[in-house]
Amino acid sequence: MTSRLRELIQQLGEAIHESVIESEQIAGVVQDIRRHGFDVLLMLEATIGLNEVASKEADAEDSEESAEEAPFTQHDRDWLRSLRISFEGEDDVDDDEPSEGK
């Protein structure tokens, strides 16, 4: 990952943060909670995923070739695995990771 890309991701995180703290709707709800006698600690987690355009084209080719096997692209399969969700037709499961529902 280039330093410019890291800088852009940092700017995206800052923009998300600014939009949350400047939201009148969020501020109003926080004030309502405080009126009920509670202090508010708001912690948000943002996951930013990036895919190179070239890899999307390769995924499209892979998914066309494997369309008969499963309706998932490689990105879909990776995402399901990250959530520890197994799926029909999964053939490269790691032996040291427990698979759910099998």
Side-chain angles (χ1 to χ4, degrees):
M1 186 179 320
T2 66
S3 61
R4 176 64 180 145
L5 185 55
R6 288 175 201 238
E7 181 182 320
L8 289 170
I9 292 171
Q10 179 68 28
Q11 288 176 6
L12 178 58
E14 290 170 4
I16 292 168
H17 175 74
E18 288 295 319
S19 67
V20 169
I21 64 171
E22 292 178 2
S23 168
E24 292 180 17
Q25 184 178 7
I26 292 173
V29 173
V30 168
Q31 281 296 349
D32 288 344
I33 293 170
R34 286 185 176 146
R35 278 189 220 122
H36 281 88
F38 294 92
D39 197 13
V40 177
L41 173 63
L42 180 62
M43 294 174 34
L44 302 175
E45 179 180 334
T47 302
I48 300 171
L50 302 175
N51 286 318
E52 290 187 64
V53 175
S55 68
K56 282 187 178 181
E57 292 170 0
D59 283 347
E61 291 173 8
D62 289 345
S63 66
E64 288 174 8
E65 292 172 2
S66 64
E68 296 174 6
E69 296 175 15
F72 302 117
T73 65
Q74 183 62 41
H75 179 71
D76 294 335
R77 292 188 289 266
D78 293 342
W79 175 250
L80 289 170
R81 282 189 202 107
S82 75
L83 298 173
R84 298 190 182 275
I85 297 173
S86 61
F87 48 90
E88 191 174 319
E90 182 176 24
D91 57 353
D92 56 346
V93 177
D94 292 336
D95 290 336
D96 48 332
E97 288 188 25
S99 59
E100 302 287 327
K102 286 193 177 182

